[in-house]
Amino acid sequence: MDTRWWAVVVLATLPSLGAGGETPEAPPASWTQLWFFRFLVNAAGYASFMVPGYLLVQYFRRKNYLETGRGLCFPLVKTCVFGNEPKASDEVPLTPRAEATETTPTRQALKLLFCAVGLQGSYLTWGVLQERVMTKSYGATATSPGEHFTDSQFLVLMNRVLALIVAGLYCIIVKQPRHGAPMYRYSFASLSNVLSSWCQYEALKFVSFPTQVLAKASKVIPVMMMGKLVSRRSYEHWEYLTAALISIGVSMFLLSSGPEPRNSPATTLSGLILLAGYIIFDSFTSNWQDALFAYKMSPVQMMFGVNFFSCLFTVGSLLEQGALLEGTRFMGRHSEFAAHAFLLSVCSAGGQLFIFYTIGQFGAAVFTIIMTLRQALAILLSCLIYGHAITVVGGLGVAVVFAALLLRVYARGRLKQRGKKAVPVDSPVQKV
């Protein structure tokens, strides 16, 4: 039995097992380039920080350092391990959502248009660039095919550095609630977020972008499962119904995939495993962030804490592998890639700020509708630019998925109107 399972894992790492469509890529030059091996190497790099950090936290807790500790390191240890209990006078209430009656309808319409354009522009641009960076070559000429950028972890670092800077500047400029959460607790959400982002980038080497977008839409199901396991939540019958509809729609799309163009990655077993990894890690991230919000922090403080550890993990792992210099050299060789990577980071950080502003002004329901429409537009845009083929049955599956997502928004709104407890939405802090 063990031998059979090991064979399944090894075969899953080979990109030649295409399911529908032509062979997406040539096999890697060596086994060290297999995604499964690189995932383990990255995980080992993160563990080299997580394990010593966890042991230090347990040591300080066993020694009751909060009561006995003194010296220059005491404030740092207290902040990282124990946190600070916010005082009533230190608490800064989060800005309440502006009601439509406070401003004119025209002003509200302009605000809504601003939010919609900002979200659509940020994330549609991000999606197009993501597919360009991970699936196309740089430096191609009439005599040379160019070279592909392959280090997904380097892209994750680029995104997180700019997001950390933006969140830090925002916290300095705009007064925030007194921070009370132990800093080490951000590391768990950060680790799962880094792994989910890596899986997302890496999956584009094996699956088409429309497949990836639908996989993101279907993460409602594992989010509900994680909600039961992590947060002990209960769900309404309509939530299970819409989750089932999403599953049916995604299955229709995947089982009816038409032939892909020769230069486009086809759906493979490796891609499906990576997408499953993305969904699982991202579901844990959102639920862990929801639990952290019990410390009454602002979303930007959450953004800063998670991105701080994300930068720490990715920089450390890249240095241990010697890949940080190689990624920098690739940027030096290809200025177009440097521009794409920078614009990816701008869209990621700017999109998160638009998320906060939209939810603050119009609530989570409006935000969810905008982002659902964005996913549908992203699929259309990808098909137009990169030539992905979608059959009639596949298109119907896409329609079923997004109809189910909009039904969830409608049902949640009806539930709120009836005065029942609002169903929590996914944490908006890390969307990419």
Side-chain angles (χ1 to χ4, degrees), residues 43-294:
Y46 306 147
S48 67
F49 290 89
M50 285 287 290
V51 173
Y54 176 79
L55 294 177
L56 278 175
V57 169
Q58 295 303 312
Y59 170 79
F60 286 122
R61 287 186 174 276
R62 285 198 306 268
K63 292 295 184 180
N64 196 22
Y65 188 83
L66 189 60
E67 301 295 333
T68 61
R70 294 292 183 271
L72 295 176
C73 294
F74 178 76
L76 178 62
V77 174
K78 181 183 177 183
T79 300
C80 294
V81 178
F82 300 97
N84 300 288
E85 289 296 330
K87 302 176 183 177
S89 59
D90 293 327
E91 292 188 4
V92 177
L94 299 181
T95 304
R97 178 164 60 94
E99 299 294 336
T101 57
E102 294 180 0
T103 57
T104 64
T106 302
R107 187 176 180 82
Q108 283 297 106
L110 290 175
K111 280 186 178 180
L112 180 59
L113 180 63
F114 173 73
C115 293
V117 171
L119 288 170
Q120 299 287 359
S122 297
Y123 286 107
L124 287 176
T125 303
W126 177 84
V128 170
L129 285 175
Q130 178 191 207
E131 187 169 8
R132 167 66 182 88
V133 169
M134 297 307 300
T135 63
K136 308 297 180 182
S137 63
Y138 286 92
T141 62
T143 58
S144 172
E147 57 180 332
H148 284 264
F149 182 78
T150 60
D151 195 346
S152 301
Q153 188 176 209
F154 186 82
L155 282 180
V156 176
L157 172 62
M158 292 285 291
N159 292 169
R160 298 303 176 259
V161 166
L162 188 58
L164 177 67
I165 294 173
V166 170
L169 292 175
Y170 190 95
C171 289
I172 293 173
I173 296 172
V174 181
K175 188 176 182 181
Q176 302 293 311
R178 187 170 187 265
H179 190 265
M183 286 296 295
Y184 83 92
R185 290 180 63 85
Y186 290 106
S187 63
F188 300 103
S190 176
L191 177 62
S192 60
N193 177 253
V194 167
L195 291 174
S196 70
S197 298
W198 184 88
C199 289
Q200 178 182 226
Y201 281 120
E202 198 73 11
L204 281 177
K205 299 176 182 179
F206 307 102
V207 301
S208 66
F209 185 77
T211 302
Q212 187 190 81
V213 172
L214 284 185
K216 292 181 184 181
S218 67
K219 75 178 183 180
V220 168
I221 302 166
V223 164
M224 290 171 61
M225 295 174 61
M226 285 289 183
K228 276 189 169 294
L229 294 175
V230 178
S231 306
R232 306 297 181 186
R233 288 179 182 162
S234 59
Y235 296 96
E236 301 286 338
H237 294 297
W238 59 265
E239 293 183 274
Y240 291 107
L241 172 62
T242 53
L245 288 175
I246 291 172
S247 300
I248 293 172
V250 172
S251 299
M252 291 172 62
F253 176 82
L254 293 179
L255 294 176
S256 63
S257 296
E260 293 282 347
R262 181 174 299 274
N263 62 347
S264 178
T267 301
T268 65
L269 182 59
S270 294
L272 296 179
I273 293 174
L274 285 166
L275 287 177
Y278 160 76
I279 293 172
I280 292 171
F281 290 128
D282 192 64
S283 301
F284 177 85
T285 301
S286 61
N287 279 278
W288 190 267
Q289 287 175 332
D290 284 342
L292 276 180
F293 274 119

